[in-house]
Amino acid sequence: MKIAIFENIMTPGGHEVDFDRILTEELRALGHEVVFYVPEGFHFGMDYHTDVHYLPGASVSYTNARGIRKLLRSVRRERRRFGWYRALYEEAQRGAFDALIVPTSTYRYLRALRRSVLRRSPVPVIFIQHGINPSEAPKFFSAADVLAKYPNIRPVVLTFGDELFGERRANVHLMPPPAFVPRDVEHGQYAPIRSDEAITIGFFGQFRREKRLEDLLKVYLAGNYTRPVKLLVQGSTMHEEDAAEFERIISCYEGKGITFLHRGLIGAEWQRAIMQVDALLLPYSAPRYRYHWGAMLFTAIGFQKPVLTSDDMNPEVFAAYAIGETFPSGDMDALRKTLERFINEYDVRAPQWHKALSDAAAVYAPSRFAARIAAVAGGEDKDREPI
């Protein structure tokens, strides 16, 4: 098949870039041709080495928009979306591709589709939702129900069960998300670390002042560790005030068994940074992680790194695979105790964690994910339970 990907989220890095790479490279490996459709003026965070077609109308950003300005931009974005949908429909009509994938969508995309000619697409259109929380579910199901009479509109939800909040729909497809794997760097088999060698724990992500990084560093420094350990903290910043705060934290804590990296990472540099640590620390606490898959958790799985995270991070994964430790979300004292146990028992427990990581990586392999997407596009998804 010739599969088109419509991407309109403009980001220089991050997991959206790598998710598109999974689709592109793994679908190609299955023998499909992949092309991109993007708004005019779109800048890619990575070269996917494939043809790119530009649609009339530039993307509309919410960055730094507040109040009435944000509302006006929202209206403009919706109008642009209708224009892109019409252009994609016309491309489908003339046979430019055999299937279309929208890799990062929300119920708003489906809601707009109800009033767009694209709903009558002559080829399958796959809208991938990266999770649905309880407040979004009624809106999603409402949009999906209206679109049920259009057989080529095929919503996909990335999740871990065979139903959503106790409901099923015949026109909605459920599937687990893919792991992010190293693609540009060498990676070998797990090898134990000597107990007199320091293990390196990595904390990665975009830094914002409200993320309470300093509280995490204080918890780490308060721990009583019986084996050598180091902490690597990587943070990218988008705003001057965040950058200034991150630099203040670096000046206070660097050299206390903590190393900082203040810049964004992408491609091979990002992969090397993940590969150089022994385990990942993901102390994020937010209810949404119970419903949206954690990209850093699936980086840990793909890169085979034991993980310490809050218990609201995709609990279904930890119920199936003992890939690390969890602590009660938001409980900093519990985090300190769990961090101590994770580090002090690392040498004994790492072999079991790595066995579980290997098992999880096989189940969440990018190749299996791409095969599921291709099956939905080709109408061959016969073995699944309808939701």
Side-chain angles (χ1 to χ4, degrees):
M1 285 187 293
K2 185 174 184 178
I3 300 177
I5 296 175
F6 169 54
E7 181 58 88
N8 67 107
I9 297 177
M10 194 181 299
T11 174
H15 287 97
E16 294 91 351
V17 170
D18 285 318
F19 187 77
D20 285 351
R21 186 175 183 182
I22 287 174
L23 288 170
T24 304
E25 295 187 358
E26 299 296 343
L27 286 171
R28 276 182 185 153
L30 292 172
H32 304 292
E33 181 184 354
V34 179
V35 298
F36 273 87
Y37 283 81
V38 297
E40 65 182 60
F42 188 93
H43 299 287
F44 283 93
M46 178 180 292
D47 184 356
Y48 299 106
H49 304 288
T50 192
D51 290 342
V52 178
H53 304 272
Y54 292 89
L55 305 172
S59 294
V60 178
S61 173
Y62 287 142
T63 303
N64 298 324
R66 299 289 186 274
I68 188 66
R69 182 178 296 179
K70 185 173 183 179
L71 178 61
L72 291 173
R73 290 188 184 182
S74 178
V75 172
R76 191 189 312 165
R77 174 180 282 189
E78 192 78 352
R79 287 177 176 171
R80 289 281 165 84
R81 187 176 290 137
F82 279 114
W84 298 329
Y85 282 0
R86 174 166 289 280
L88 290 166
Y89 172 78
E90 291 171 354
E91 288 291 284
Q93 280 284 82
R94 71 176 186 85
F97 45 78
D98 303 305
L100 173 67
I101 297 172
V102 183
T104 307
S105 70
T106 69
Y107 70 87
R108 294 181 180 87
Y109 285 60
L110 297 180
R111 186 176 62 192
L113 188 65
R114 296 180 303 182
R115 305 188 302 278
S116 168
V117 69
L118 184 60
R119 70 188 186 279
R120 300 193 183 96
S121 171
V123 304
V125 184
I126 299 171
F127 287 82
I128 301 178
Q129 310 250 156
H130 290 245
I132 295 174
N133 65 41
S135 65
E136 295 170 330
K139 302 167 189 174
F140 169 77
F141 283 126
S142 174
D145 289 344
V146 171
L147 295 167
K149 59 186 175 184
Y150 302 101
N152 276 335
I153 303 304
R154 303 174 187 179
V156 165
V157 181
L158 303 187
T159 188
F160 303 100
D162 60 0
E163 62 180 25
L164 289 171
F165 306 107
E167 297 195 45
R168 297 166 178 258
R169 295 293 190 276
N171 65 321
V172 177
H173 303 254
L174 284 187
M175 62 182 67
F180 295 97
V181 299
R183 295 178 182 269
D184 304 306
V185 298
E186 293 285 333
H187 61 98
Q189 298 296 316
Y190 161 69
I193 302 168
R194 295 201 321 264
S195 59
D196 61 340
E197 278 188 285
I199 60 170
T200 301
I201 311 296
F203 175 70
F204 294 82
Q206 186 181 96
F207 173 80
R208 294 192 298 272
R209 288 170 295 169
E210 64 268 23
K211 282 194 171 183
R212 298 176 61 192
L213 172 62
E214 197 161 12
D215 290 345
L216 169 64
L217 299 181
K218 289 176 181 177
V219 166
Y220 170 76
L221 292 173
N224 180 23
Y225 308 120
T226 58
R227 56 133 31 257
V229 61
K230 298 184 292 185
L231 176 64
L232 169 66
V233 177
Q234 178 265 337
S236 61
T237 50
M238 292 184 62
H239 304 291
E240 288 185 11
E241 56 269 28
D242 291 330
E245 176 65 5
F246 195 35
E247 286 297 324
R248 182 194 68 77
I249 290 173
I250 291 172
S251 68
C252 291
Y253 292 91
E254 186 148 39
K256 300 179 180 181
I258 305 173
T259 302
F260 292 88
L261 188 60
H262 183 184
R263 71 171 186 273
L265 302 173
I266 189 172
E269 188 179 27
W270 163 256
Q271 295 167 45
R272 281 192 293 269
I274 299 292
M275 290 302 298
Q276 77 179 27
V277 304
D278 301 301
L280 288 172
L281 175 59
L282 315 178
Y284 319 131
S285 294
R288 74 181 186 89
Y289 288 118
R290 292 189 175 272
Y291 311 106
H292 293 251
W293 64 298
M296 278 305 300
L297 175 60
F298 279 77
T299 298
I301 292 171
F303 281 69
Q304 300 288 280
K305 304 296 179 182
V307 63
L308 190 162
T309 185
S310 65
D311 61 0
D312 52 11
M313 175 69 76
N314 299 154
E316 300 93 339
V317 175
F318 287 91
Y321 305 102
I323 59 175
E325 285 277 307
T326 65
F327 69 96
S329 178
D331 188 333
M332 299 305 279
D333 187 55
L335 170 59
R336 179 185 59 79
K337 293 175 182 176
T338 306
L339 190 55
E340 285 182 353
R341 184 169 64 250
F342 183 82
I343 292 169
N344 295 341
E345 297 178 4
Y346 184 88
D347 303 294
V348 174
R349 302 183 66 188
Q352 292 92 341
W353 288 335
H354 278 275
K355 171 60 169 63
L357 283 164
S358 180
D359 293 342
V363 170
Y364 301 123
S367 58
R368 296 185 68 174
F369 173 73
R372 293 185 182 105
I373 291 292
V376 173
E380 302 167 3
D381 191 21
K382 299 187 177 90
D383 295 331
R384 72 176 183 91
E385 289 284 328
I387 68 163

